[in-house]
Amino acid sequence: MTSRTVKRYADAAKPEDLFTGQRQARASVLDEYKTSLDDRWNEGGTNAWKLWEEIVPLGYQGSYQRVRAYLRRKCTSPRPVMARPPSPRVSPDGSFAARKPSPKPNTST
């Protein structure tokens, strides 16, 4: 670390004082349209391009990419996650274990 970084850490009264610069929570051009996007998302509108086209006439001047990035965080998975079926097991004699077992020969005499 440089001496300037060490001094900055030493001079900070609380950890929040260290959070400066680009990562601060700032107002976004999308902020006033988020409620509209959330409402349409909850109604089933999941196409980012269509939702962007709907808010542009309302005065949104930001990019489509900003809308897409906001909606991507809302989407947890593009399709439901399905469990894979178990693979068939092969028994020592080379047959599949899913078959019915053959009757055991009666060896009691």
Side-chain angles (χ1 to χ4, degrees):
M1 275 190 232
T2 66
S3 60
R4 289 179 65 193
T5 304
V6 172
K7 179 170 176 25
R8 198 180 83 173
Y9 283 124
D11 291 344
K14 54 188 181 221
E16 291 79 21
D17 294 343
L18 298 172
F19 301 130
T20 60
Q22 182 175 359
R23 297 287 180 194
Q24 290 289 322
R26 300 185 238 171
S28 166
V29 293
L30 190 59
D31 283 345
E32 64 184 84
Y33 303 97
K34 285 182 179 179
T35 56
S36 174
L37 289 172
D38 291 341
D39 291 343
R40 287 288 291 125
W41 181 270
N42 293 332
E43 292 172 3
T46 58
N47 185 322
W49 183 262
K50 295 285 185 187
L51 295 176
W52 176 76
E53 287 179 331
E54 290 178 12
I55 62 172
V56 166
L58 300 176
Y60 177 68
Q61 295 181 349
S63 67
Y64 159 71
Q65 286 81 8
R66 176 66 45 212
V67 174
R68 187 181 66 192
Y70 174 70
L71 295 174
R72 185 179 302 134
R73 283 183 263 142
K74 296 178 79 53
C75 183
T76 57
S77 176
R79 59 178 179 224
V81 178
M82 304 287 279
R84 288 179 47 190
S87 58
R89 297 182 183 188
V90 179
S91 62
D93 66 349
S95 61
F96 286 103
R99 292 188 342 192
K100 281 183 163 180
S102 58
K104 293 183 180 180
N106 191 356
T107 57
S108 61
T109 326

